[in-house]
Amino acid sequence: MLGELIINGGRRINGEITIQGAKNAALPILAAAVMTDEECVIKNCPALRDVDKTVLVLKDLGCGVRREGSTLMINGQDMFDCKICESLMREMRSSIIFLGAILTRCKKASVSMPGGCPIGLRPIDLHLKALKKLGAQISEEHGYIKCSAPKLCGCDIYLDFPSVGATENILLASVCAEGTTVVSNAAREPEIVDLANFLNAMGAKITGAGGSVIRIDGVKRLHGAEYSVMSDRIAAATYLAAGAVTGGELTVRKANKNHMNAMLDALCDMGAELSYDGDAIHLKPIKRLKSIHTLRTMPYPGFPTDIQSPFMAAASLAKGTSVFVENIFENRFRHVDELVRMGADIKVSGRCAVVRGVKRLSGARVRARELRGGAALVIAGLAAEGQTIVENTEYIDRGYENMEKHLAACGADIRRNN
């Protein structure tokens, strides 16, 4: 039986939540640890299903991995393989990041086509095009992508779209390439900066991360390093949305507001009152959220696609009509039918969803179909009248560490049934 969360709604989310390390930063950092035969110590690494799967990939490659609390120790001294098995690749798309890392370490790599949440096509052509420019020879055989590169050479790479994954793979593949690589139209997400900072701690020479042009001067080798993963901006915004829609007073700690401008601006436009103190964001209670005219998902620093569905859940109870335009993934409205089951008034046309706020939602049995949509259903359940049962918690566990425990500690009536 798959896990489920049982929520008795109508209670305010009041209290404090300390934000976990960022999933989207931790995964490429863990992949980068295979690029040295020395030990890497990764702190603030969240206990998530996706992190667990990444650890299985590391072990399958021959790396030693130990966890002590929120710290992972990775030792690649005995790494013996350059191939990731199909079953692990199918479980999460982010494992494609290992392609550049393994290629740097072993001069060859073999991975199957990636899987992950069913939110859209997410093609990897930008990854492969960039690796070819760096000198990799790539072929596809029987569902596997096979790369070989006895020698990688720096070059100028222009990305047609500022893809996070492609930018990360370029960084991993070029740090030990001969010469200089310049990436134009690079992704600017804070998670890119976190990966670059970790690679620099390993001895890489990367400048410009966080901007649209990144320069990588190749070095001969990388060494072990100790590093602490950034906080999860998407998790922080998710909990703030839960607090806002329930009329609660909530403080999220270890949150970097500078990484969250688009999300915080959207919350404020919906009537939320926020104040800031160091790494803490404080939400004051309000009676009811207001609609927001139009939210368009965009690459950073725009509004993130990862928070679109949790904010839609909040908007379903807001006063007025909100419009969500999804510009990143074409299949990211999979949560809408489940919200409608709870009484939400949402109409979808292509990549646009029109949300007419209702005064109340009713608890129902609903099913998470992907990670962020699952979080949206939890938010809706917290604010709904009656009991909501959210099935398929394994999706939620991919990106949120002990979500139900954090919410219960802030007054929610929520429990897990495995």
Side-chain angles (χ1 to χ4, degrees):
M1 177 180 176
L2 298 177
E4 56 189 26
L5 291 175
I6 301 172
I7 307 166
N8 293 306
R11 302 180 66 169
R12 293 181 178 181
I13 305 303
N14 294 320
E16 295 187 0
I17 296 175
T18 299
I19 301 303
Q20 67 195 49
K23 174 185 86 85
N24 291 336
L27 301 186
I29 285 173
L30 292 176
V34 308
M35 297 165 63
T36 177
D37 58 6
E38 299 178 13
E39 184 177 71
C40 291
V41 178
I42 313 301
K43 299 180 178 179
N44 199 34
C45 196
L48 305 170
R49 280 179 60 88
D50 272 12
V51 170
D52 292 342
K53 296 299 181 184
T54 303
V55 168
L56 289 179
V57 171
L58 290 167
K59 290 181 176 179
D60 198 54
L61 293 171
C63 299
V65 185
R66 293 183 295 118
R67 179 183 276 276
E68 293 181 3
S70 62
T71 300
L72 283 178
M73 284 73 72
I74 301 103
N75 193 323
Q77 182 176 359
D78 297 323
M79 180 176 168
F80 57 77
D81 205 351
C82 62
K83 179 179 179 180
I84 301 177
C85 69
E86 182 178 3
S87 61
L88 290 174
M89 285 294 298
R90 283 186 179 276
E91 293 208 35
M92 60 174 196
R93 181 184 180 276
S94 54
S95 48
I96 194 67
I97 294 303
F98 276 92
L99 192 58
I102 297 173
L103 191 61
T104 291
R105 174 74 185 272
C106 303
K107 309 304 180 186
K108 60 181 180 178
S110 179
V111 300
S112 71
M113 294 298 291
C117 280
I119 58 174
L121 293 175
R122 302 195 286 185
I124 60 169
D125 57 309
L126 293 178
H127 301 237
L128 303 184
K129 180 181 177 181
L131 293 178
K132 286 179 180 177
K133 285 207 70 175
L134 289 165
Q137 296 179 343
I138 301 175
S139 62
E140 297 182 39
E141 301 176 15
H142 309 294
Y144 273 84
I145 302 167
K146 296 187 176 182
C147 300
S148 63
K151 181 180 180 181
L152 292 170
C153 295
C155 61
D156 292 340
I157 299 173
Y158 176 82
L159 291 175
D160 296 328
F161 178 83
S163 161
V164 173
T167 302
E168 290 169 343
N169 248 330
I170 293 169
L171 292 179
L172 295 169
S174 63
V175 288
C176 292
E178 186 176 294
T180 297
T181 300
V182 177
V183 188
S184 299
N185 199 30
R188 299 167 60 187
E189 274 74 1
E191 293 80 5
I192 296 291
V193 178
D194 221 34
L195 174 61
N197 288 342
F198 174 62
L199 289 169
N200 284 340
M202 296 176 72
K205 294 182 179 179
I206 303 171
T207 56
S212 59
V213 178
I214 302 176
R215 177 186 172 104
I216 308 104
D217 294 310
V219 298
K220 290 190 175 181
R221 65 181 297 274
L222 299 178
H223 52 71
E226 183 175 305
Y227 193 77
S228 184
V229 176
M230 63 176 276
S231 65
D232 197 311
R233 59 197 176 102
I234 304 300
T238 299
Y239 291 124
L240 287 171
V245 77
T246 61
E249 185 169 7
L250 181 67
T251 298
V252 294
R253 299 196 177 278
K254 291 191 176 179
N256 190 331
K257 67 181 180 65
N258 295 324
H259 294 164
M260 301 174 61
N261 288 331
M263 296 179 280
L264 298 178
D265 284 349
L267 271 177
C268 291
D269 287 345
M270 296 176 77
E273 293 186 36
L274 303 173
S275 59
Y276 309 97
D277 182 14
D279 68 355
I281 302 174
H282 180 69
L283 169 74
K284 297 179 181 179
I286 57 172
K287 289 185 178 181
R288 187 183 181 188
L289 290 172
K290 300 182 297 184
S291 63
I292 185 165
H293 185 262
T294 304
L295 273 182
R296 294 180 174 86
T297 62
M298 299 290 287
Y300 189 86
F303 188 83
T305 181
D306 277 357
I307 202 64
Q308 173 255 108
S309 45
F311 272 47
M312 188 182 292
S316 67
L317 282 164
K319 184 179 180 180
T321 299
S322 304
V323 178
F324 289 78
V325 181
E326 175 55 56
N327 291 310
I328 308 299
F329 296 126
E330 75 281 357
N331 199 20
R332 199 141 208 183
F333 290 146
R334 292 171 62 87
H335 56 285
V336 168
D337 288 346
E338 305 301 293
L339 289 176
V340 170
R341 283 173 57 84
M342 300 177 70
D345 183 354
I346 306 173
K347 299 292 189 295
V348 174
S349 177
R351 290 176 177 257
C352 181
V354 178
V355 184
R356 294 180 175 87
V358 297
K359 290 186 176 180
R360 62 184 61 86
L361 296 176
S362 298
R365 179 176 283 274
V366 292
R367 178 171 297 179
R369 302 181 186 278
E370 43 87 16
L371 166 55
R372 306 303 175 182
L377 297 179
V378 171
I379 290 173
L382 293 170
E385 296 179 354
Q387 186 176 90
T388 298
I389 300 176
V390 182
E391 300 176 350
N392 289 3
T393 56
E394 69 274 13
Y395 281 118
I396 297 169
D397 296 339
R398 290 187 57 193
Y400 296 92
E401 184 179 59
N402 299 321
M403 175 181 259
E404 73 279 7
K405 292 182 180 179
H406 288 304
L407 291 170
C410 292
D413 185 346
I414 181 172
R415 61 184 175 87
R416 182 180 290 262
N417 180 20
N418 290 322

